[in-house]
Amino acid sequence: MRKIVHRHLGKVVAGAAIAVAGTAVMVGITLPGSAGAEESGGAKGSGGTSQQAAQQGQGAVQPGVVEQAPDEGEKGKGRDPLTDDETERVTRIALSRQMLTAGENVEGKRGPQRLSVNLAEPEADELDDPNAPRRADVSFYDYKNDTLVTRTVNLDTGKVEKAGSQHDVQPPISRDEMTEAAELLIADPLGAGLKADFKDATGKELTSPGQLVLNSMVYRATPGAQPAVLGACGEHRCVRLFPKVKNGPWIDSRDLVIDLSARKVGKLG
């Protein structure tokens, strides 16, 4: 594996970490190490310990029993995390008819891209009230006009209490957006190095994001620091991917940026 792909754009990283360097930004990705190695070595002699315990009259440890998780129910209480039913309900409430018909998601389909649904913090005068209403903050990204839309929904009344929209604001990339970015990169000529490295590591062709474990970060343009194709990043939604072969090594693609708004791939100098 140490001889892999020094000739390719995206080199397979076999070290302990990838240093992800952007313009005035450094992000470290720690790769899986040898955690547990000592434990495995210690386990080699564990039979003697068990034998001594048995000789001392201690019973053997019984195998664990996997129990089915309890039904979370349709509604939570107080500061309980949102249930699946609550999450789907507030998403439907927050998504207005206008947003649904005029908005566009990361794949270019109708309706804005849902980014997150989180339990909202209580109001200042509700902090000590055990019966304070539960609210959810729902955020969408509308690729039609590069707008971040946020809405706060009261779970008790089913009404939108707050709404806002912002431009040039880029929250963390969602899982669906990472998948679409990987689709665009794999299909683009600039993804040739990624595909070559994947084949060197696995012996197989890279054809789908499902073959990778993906991490990402938002990329913002800095004057003079990138090619013109990436000059709108920040206003556009742009992402750098840090892919990993499933059950395998990381692949270095830090110099590639996917503009999800323009559906284009660029390479940093």
Side-chain angles (χ1 to χ4, degrees), residues 45-74:
S46 62
T49 303
S50 299
Q51 185 177 4
Q52 292 173 5
Q55 290 174 350
Q56 294 173 2
Q58 297 180 5
V61 176
Q62 297 299 316
V65 177
V66 178
E67 296 184 357
Q68 185 175 0
D71 187 358
E72 65 177 4
E74 295 182 1

Side-chain angles (χ1 to χ4, degrees), residues 226-262:
Q226 63 282 308
V229 69
L230 300 175
C233 289
E235 176 187 351
H236 286 185
R237 192 141 170 84
C238 299
V239 56
R240 298 170 81 177
L241 290 177
F242 309 111
K244 180 182 181 297
V245 178
K246 282 190 173 181
N247 301 315
W250 294 85
I251 298 178
D252 185 358
S253 63
R254 77 187 85 178
D255 54 352
L256 299 176
V257 177
I258 302 95
D259 184 334
L260 289 169
S261 299

Side-chain angles (χ1 to χ4, degrees), residues 9-52:
L9 171 63
K11 294 180 285 298
V12 173
V13 178
I18 299 178
V20 182
T23 303
V25 178
M26 181 68 74
V27 177
I29 300 179
T30 303
L31 305 184
S34 58
E38 294 183 0
E39 289 85 349
S40 297
K44 187 175 181 180
S46 62
T49 303
S50 299
Q51 185 177 4
Q52 292 173 5

Side-chain angles (χ1 to χ4, degrees), residues 85-148:
D85 286 341
E86 287 176 321
T87 298
E88 293 305 317
R89 176 171 172 254
V90 297
T91 299
R92 290 194 301 270
I93 295 171
L95 191 59
S96 68
R97 184 179 298 276
Q98 181 181 0
M99 292 169 60
L100 182 60
T101 56
E104 187 176 295
N105 68 12
V106 69
E107 297 178 353
K109 298 178 181 178
R110 192 183 71 166
Q113 182 69 42
R114 189 180 84 177
L115 300 183
S116 64
V117 182
N118 298 302
L119 187 69
E121 292 295 326
E123 301 292 338
D125 58 352
E126 299 172 346
L127 293 176
D128 297 324
D129 183 359
N131 298 315
R134 283 164 61 82
R135 300 180 181 90
D137 291 328
V138 188
S139 65
F140 302 92
Y141 195 85
D142 189 349
Y143 279 88
K144 187 75 172 181
N145 51 19
D146 283 296
T147 303
L148 175 66

